[in-house]
Amino acid sequence: MCLLAVAALVLCDAVRRERALRGIRVELPALVRMFKDRSAEIRVRVHHAQRIRVGVVVPEGISAEFEETDVESPSETAEFVWKWTAHRRGLYRVDAVYLEALSPWGMWQVRRKDAAAMEIRVYPNLRREEDLRALRQGVSGVHAMRQIGRGREFEKLREYLPGDGFEEIHWKATARRGRPITKVFQVERTQEVYVIIDRSRLSARAAGVDPTDETTLERSIAAGLIVGAAAEKRGDLFGLAAFSDQVDAFVRARNGKAHYAACRDAIYQLHPKPVTPDFDEIATFLRLRLRRRALLLFLTSLDDPVLAESFARATKLLARRHLVLAGMLRPASARRLFEDGGVESAEDVYRELAGHIAWKRLKELEATLARQGVRLTVIDPKNFSGALIGIYDSVKQRQLL
């Protein structure tokens, strides 16, 4: 009889087990913004919870201090915090949440899967020491930077004064008024700065000597946003583009916090694409879209001779209207002969010779591009952001735009 009574209780509890999760609802935030390698808090609400277990499947590329937790609350709504850390940029989604509770008499475990819609956007981390140092460099000394030259933007006409050059005389106004009239220029304060990021096959290489370092694309995206922040502080308009075998993203130059967020949203999902870059496509796109003279800063890799030739050909016409600069991370193998020393074998000698040939090709490419008005700078990976801001400062100071 006892066994029959127990069996009856178990069966009755099984019939009533659906009541354990009845009316319980888990509320996840619709949008979570995170930064790579920085922890973030996700607040979760559970409605009508008494004692349940809540869990989710954490997307690959994100780690969490726990994937499931017990929730117990005497009130109608309970709230807890999940701490997650993202290790890769990109867009992630959590589309399900899992619930578990005991049946009313505690003889059964009841589980249920509910649909969810939580979007996680992981942005690049701009708080590394290198980037913070570069950003401080881009912010400090804005008003103290001395401008070289008389400026490019026409301001007004005035009477001729001794010492004015012949190139400053406005000859039509002089003829109309019957006396020498001089043009007055001022320094152009608001300029357009574009960062163009190459996400083709070579952008998947490690940015440093260590193969485990972040990719060239990762470093380029962070450096591009740092340059954008510096341009914002200087009162310039900042825009960006990304390309591979096609134009993948384009944001026209503007300013303001909302615009900077739009630029960040345009590139945070970019990952290396195993294709050859089409420099002709991006150059044609920029020639058609940009009417005003602008600073175009290409972040690309040109140590491949075929790509270098393609870049030189594509930017030849572009450089007639715009100021074109190119910044690339110095390849680990490209260095002057015996620069690092440590040659102990014939294999080391051959490696040094190969590195010297690669270094010499880059120097020849610099000279070739300089003749058509394009400046190429090969930058050490340890100071990529700072060097790019230094190039931008030089352009501003010399009024090359």
Side-chain angles (χ1 to χ4, degrees), residues 62 98 165 197 268 373 396:
I62 300 178
Y98 300 87
I197 299 173
Y268 81 96
K396 290 283 292 182

Side-chain angles (χ1 to χ4, degrees), residues 3 5 29 108 110 115 124 133 145 169 217 230 233 238 258-259 278 293 301 304 319 327 333 335 366 381 384-385:
L3 291 177
W108 298 86
V110 184
R133 186 170 58 250
M145 187 170 59
I169 295 178
L217 177 61
K233 293 296 182 180
F238 171 68
H259 172 69
D278 192 337
R293 179 175 170 84
S301 297
D304 185 325
S333 59
R335 56 181 181 270
E366 286 184 24
F384 193 45
S385 301

Side-chain angles (χ1 to χ4, degrees), residues 335 337-338 341-355:
R335 56 181 181 270
L337 190 63
F338 306 133
V343 177
E344 298 178 355
S345 63
E347 182 179 351
D348 294 336
V349 173
Y350 288 125
R351 185 179 64 252
E352 291 290 329
L353 288 173

Side-chain angles (χ1 to χ4, degrees), residues 141-188:
V142 173
H143 300 290
M145 187 170 59
R146 185 172 65 89
Q147 303 288 340
I148 300 175
R150 60 184 176 86
R152 289 177 172 269
E153 187 173 328
F154 175 77
E155 182 179 10
K156 61 181 180 180
L157 297 175
R158 62 165 170 81
E159 298 286 342
Y160 175 84
L161 295 175
D164 291 344
F166 286 107
E167 71 278 0
E168 298 175 6
I169 295 178
H170 195 292
W171 295 107
K172 291 184 178 180
T174 297
R176 287 196 303 267
R177 300 185 186 182
R179 59 185 184 277
I181 301 297
T182 302
K183 294 177 287 186
V184 178
F185 296 87
Q186 65 177 356
V187 176
E188 188 174 6

Side-chain angles (χ1 to χ4, degrees), residues 107-118:
M107 298 180 181
W108 298 86
Q109 283 186 333
V110 184
R111 297 186 178 95
R112 190 177 76 197
K113 176 183 177 182
D114 289 352
M118 182 172 70

Side-chain angles (χ1 to χ4, degrees), residues 213-255:
D213 285 348
E214 62 183 1
T215 63
T216 298
L217 177 61
E218 195 75 30
R219 191 67 60 86
S220 297
I221 288 175
L225 292 175
I226 290 293
V227 172
E232 176 80 17
K233 293 296 182 180
R234 278 162 165 68
D236 285 339
L237 306 180
F238 171 68
L240 59 81
F243 72 101
S244 51
D245 57 340
Q246 61 183 8
V247 179
D248 298 309
F250 176 73
V251 182
R252 190 171 293 279
R254 291 185 178 87
N255 56 14

Side-chain angles (χ1 to χ4, degrees), residues 367-386:
T368 300
L369 292 175
R371 285 194 291 271
Q372 63 186 43
V374 179
R375 175 183 171 186
L376 169 65
T377 305
V378 182
I379 304 169
D380 189 275
K382 296 179 180 179
N383 190 34
F384 193 45
S385 301

Side-chain angles (χ1 to χ4, degrees), residues 115-332:
M118 182 172 70
E119 182 179 293
I120 303 173
R121 299 180 184 179
V122 181
Y123 298 115
N125 183 9
L126 303 182
R127 289 192 176 181
R128 299 176 307 173
E129 182 60 31
E130 172 206 340
D131 294 327
L132 289 176
R133 186 170 58 250
L135 188 55
R136 287 193 295 268
Q137 169 189 339
V139 172
S140 62
V142 173
H143 300 290
M145 187 170 59
R146 185 172 65 89
Q147 303 288 340
I148 300 175
R150 60 184 176 86
R152 289 177 172 269
E153 187 173 328
F154 175 77
E155 182 179 10
K156 61 181 180 180
L157 297 175
R158 62 165 170 81
E159 298 286 342
Y160 175 84
L161 295 175
D164 291 344
F166 286 107
E167 71 278 0
E168 298 175 6
I169 295 178
H170 195 292
W171 295 107
K172 291 184 178 180
T174 297
R176 287 196 303 267
R177 300 185 186 182
R179 59 185 184 277
I181 301 297
T182 302
K183 294 177 287 186
V184 178
F185 296 87
Q186 65 177 356
V187 176
E188 188 174 6
R189 296 298 180 183
T190 303
Q191 299 165 335
E192 292 187 357
V193 179
Y194 284 88
V195 174
I196 298 98
I197 299 173
D198 179 2
R199 60 169 295 213
S200 61
R201 56 185 177 84
L202 292 184
S203 68
R205 298 186 302 185
V209 178
D210 191 342
T212 62
D213 285 348
E214 62 183 1
T215 63
T216 298
L217 177 61
E218 195 75 30
R219 191 67 60 86
S220 297
I221 288 175
L225 292 175
I226 290 293
V227 172
E232 176 80 17
K233 293 296 182 180
R234 278 162 165 68
D236 285 339
L237 306 180
F238 171 68
L240 59 81
F243 72 101
S244 51
D245 57 340
Q246 61 183 8
V247 179
D248 298 309
F250 176 73
V251 182
R252 190 171 293 279
R254 291 185 178 87
N255 56 14
K257 291 184 178 180
H259 172 69
Y260 187 83
C263 292
R264 187 181 59 186
D265 285 339
I267 60 175
Y268 81 96
Q269 295 188 65
L270 294 182
H271 293 286
K273 192 175 179 182
V275 296
T276 299
D278 192 337
F279 292 111
D280 291 323
E281 175 71 18
I282 185 64
T284 301
F285 179 88
L286 294 174
R287 285 204 309 271
L288 295 176
R289 290 297 185 95
L290 306 182
R291 299 298 182 183
R292 179 182 175 188
R293 179 175 170 84
L295 167 62
L296 307 181
L297 179 56
F298 281 84
L299 304 184
T300 184
S301 297
L302 300 175
D303 47 315
D304 185 325
V306 176
L307 297 184
E309 181 180 353
S310 175
F311 179 80
R313 182 180 63 252
T315 55
K316 190 172 183 179
L317 289 177
L318 196 61
R320 295 180 181 179
R321 175 180 295 176
H322 305 286
L323 178 60
V324 181
L325 308 178
M328 64 170 287
L329 291 168
R330 182 175 67 86

